[in-house]
Amino acid sequence: GTPIWLTETADTVCGGNPWAKTFLDNFRYLDQLGRLAQAGVQVVMHNTLCASDYGLLDEASFLPRPNYWAALLWGRLMGETVFDPAAPDADGLRVYAHRQRDRADAMALLILNLDRKAPRSVALAVPSERYTLSAEPLDSGEVMLNGTALRLGAGDALPPLDGVAMPAGPMTLPPASITFLKL
C-alpha cells in the first residue's frame, strides 16, 4: 500500500542522448509514463528542468523542448485513475487509458502510432476531442499540435492547446504520431 514515486527519469546517458531534445524522445517519454502508471507508479519526476540535452527547457534560451509539450499535455489530460485500455500493443500502436484530469465522468486515451510510414486507424464509439503531436522530420526540436507549431507567444505565454472535435467512428492516426483523446 506504499505509494511508488520515481524521482528521476529522462533519456540521460552520459550527459544526455542527442535525441532527447527532439520529438523522437516523446515516444519513449510518453510510453514510459503510460507503462509506469499501469504498474502503479503514482509520481514520475523528470530528471531536470533545464540542463544538458534531456532538460525540458533549452538551457541557453529556456524555450520548451518537445518533451515539455508532451509533459504539459499529459498533465492536463491524463488523470490519476488508470484503466486497462483493452487494446493490446499491436499493429504499431500503444494505447493507454486514464480518467480525464478534473473529470470523474470522462476518459482520456493516449495512442502512440510507432509506425514511421503507415497511418493507423482506430474506431471510437463516442465523439472525442483530439490532440495529435507530430514533427517533420522526427528528429526536429519543433512539435506540431494538430498541424500547428507549438511556440511560446508574447511574454512567453503558452499557445492555445486546443483539441479538435472528432465524431464517433473511424479515425486515422498519422504515421509516427502521438494522439491524446478526450472522450
Side-chain angles (χ1 to χ4, degrees), residues 3 29 37 41 48 52 58 61 78 84 86 94 100-101 105 113 127 132 139 144 163 168-169:
Y29 183 46
V41 176
T48 184
S52 191
D58 180 86
S61 67
M78 305 294 277
D84 179 353
R94 296 249 170 90
Q100 271 186 40
R101 175 89 48 206
D105 63 339
N113 181 1
T132 296
D139 62 355
M144 310 265 275

Side-chain angles (χ1 to χ4, degrees), residues 135-172:
E136 188 59 44
L138 291 176
D139 62 355
S140 174
E142 183 171 76
V143 179
M144 310 265 275
L145 174 62
N146 298 322
T148 301
L150 289 171
R151 294 187 185 117
L152 296 178
D156 292 333
L158 289 175
L161 299 174
D162 299 324
V164 174
M166 301 296 293
M171 176 185 308
T172 300

Side-chain angles (χ1 to χ4, degrees), residues 5-176:
W5 287 24
L6 178 58
T7 59
E8 187 172 313
T9 186
D11 195 2
T12 59
V13 179
C14 301
N17 178 338
W19 289 352
K21 61 184 175 184
T22 73
F23 177 69
L24 275 171
D25 195 52
N26 279 1
F27 292 93
R28 178 212 53 88
Y29 183 46
L30 290 170
D31 188 53
Q32 181 180 42
L33 291 178
R35 288 181 186 273
L36 289 169
Q38 286 178 333
V41 176
Q42 295 167 332
V43 174
V44 177
M45 298 178 198
H46 198 279
N47 184 304
T48 184
L49 178 63
C50 184
S52 191
D53 290 332
Y54 52 84
L56 294 175
L57 303 177
D58 180 86
E59 62 189 317
S61 67
F62 300 113
L63 292 174
R65 289 190 169 144
N67 279 346
Y68 173 87
W69 301 112
L72 186 60
L73 280 173
W74 176 278
R76 286 188 176 184
L77 303 175
M78 305 294 277
E80 294 176 13
T81 303
V82 180
F83 300 106
D84 179 353
D89 291 347
D91 201 28
L93 293 180
R94 296 249 170 90
V95 181
Y96 299 99
H98 289 221
R99 179 167 286 136
Q100 271 186 40
R101 175 89 48 206
D102 302 327
R103 281 218 42 208
D105 63 339
M107 182 177 281
L109 298 178
L110 167 62
I111 306 173
L112 307 173
N113 181 1
L114 303 176
D115 193 307
R116 290 181 180 220
K117 295 187 173 30
R120 295 291 185 248
S121 183
V122 296
L124 298 175
V126 296
S128 62
E129 193 172 328
R130 177 181 179 154
Y131 301 78
T132 296
L133 297 173
S134 61
E136 188 59 44
L138 291 176
D139 62 355
S140 174
E142 183 171 76
V143 179
M144 310 265 275
L145 174 62
N146 298 322
T148 301
L150 289 171
R151 294 187 185 117
L152 296 178
D156 292 333
L158 289 175
L161 299 174
D162 299 324
V164 174
M166 301 296 293
M171 176 185 308
T172 300
L173 306 173

